[in-house]
Amino acid sequence: MDEDFKTKALESTLQSPSETLLSIQLLDFKTSLLEAIEELRIRREAEIHYEDQISKIVVEKQELEWQKEALQHQTDTLHHQNEEAVATFKKQGKYQLAVETKEKEIDGLKEALKALQISKYALQKKLNEMVRN
């Protein structure tokens, strides 16, 4: 076995220049092939990594869109509730103003009634005096 190894080693050192050039070209080809394979492997891993990231981003985007829709719905609901509250407040204000106006009118009519009653009393008194005279 040692002899076979020595023979092969001796044969490799005794190669012709064209065989040596062929061996160098073969070694260069193998090296280039291994480099290309390694680059492809790295590229494939990078693509897998980027696809995973893209998938995560797509899922996150969808979740954010759902959150946006939920917040928009909530905003719309609150806006509607606010409009209803403002309308109710305005109605109450108009009602309150109407009540206050009616109360003032009633107070004015009461004052007018008192004045008329006093006037009636005074006229009644004068009439009674005239009838007595």
Side-chain angles (χ1 to χ4, degrees):
M1 187 164 173
D2 264 345
E3 297 233 352
D4 285 340
F5 182 70
K6 286 180 184 177
T7 306
K8 286 182 182 177
L10 186 59
E11 284 177 4
S12 68
T13 57
L14 297 176
Q15 289 180 346
S16 68
S18 64
E19 289 176 346
T20 304
L21 183 61
L22 187 60
S23 293
I24 290 172
Q25 288 176 341
L26 183 61
L27 183 60
D28 189 41
F29 175 74
K30 286 180 180 179
T31 303
S32 297
L33 182 62
L34 288 174
E35 286 176 355
I37 290 171
E38 182 64 17
E39 286 178 14
L40 286 174
R41 184 189 64 78
I42 290 170
R43 183 174 294 177
R44 192 174 301 136
E45 287 176 358
E47 286 177 357
I48 290 170
H49 176 71
Y50 292 144
E51 287 175 1
D52 288 344
Q53 284 183 329
I54 290 170
S55 296
K56 288 177 185 176
I57 289 171
V58 167
V59 168
E60 185 178 348
K61 180 185 175 207
Q62 184 62 46
E63 289 174 354
L64 289 172
E65 286 178 0
W66 288 337
Q67 287 178 359
K68 178 186 170 190
E69 289 174 5
L71 289 173
Q72 185 63 44
H73 177 69
Q74 187 177 9
T75 301
D76 292 344
T77 302
L78 290 173
H79 183 68
H80 181 68
Q81 288 175 350
N82 182 46
E83 286 177 345
E84 287 179 352
V86 168
T88 302
F89 180 74
K90 285 180 179 178
K91 284 180 185 177
Q92 288 176 347
K94 287 179 182 177
Y95 176 73
Q96 178 125 7
L97 185 60
V99 167
E100 289 174 2
T101 304
K102 294 293 180 190
E103 287 176 354
K104 286 180 182 176
E105 286 179 19
I106 290 172
D107 289 342
L109 290 173
K110 284 180 182 178
E111 292 294 322
L113 180 62
K114 283 181 187 177
L116 288 173
Q117 286 175 341
I118 290 172
S119 203
K120 177 185 171 189
Y121 178 73
L123 289 173
Q124 194 80 8
K125 196 174 179 183
K126 274 188 184 180
L127 182 62
N128 286 341
E129 284 180 10
M130 288 171 87
V131 170
R132 283 190 204 164
N133 285 338

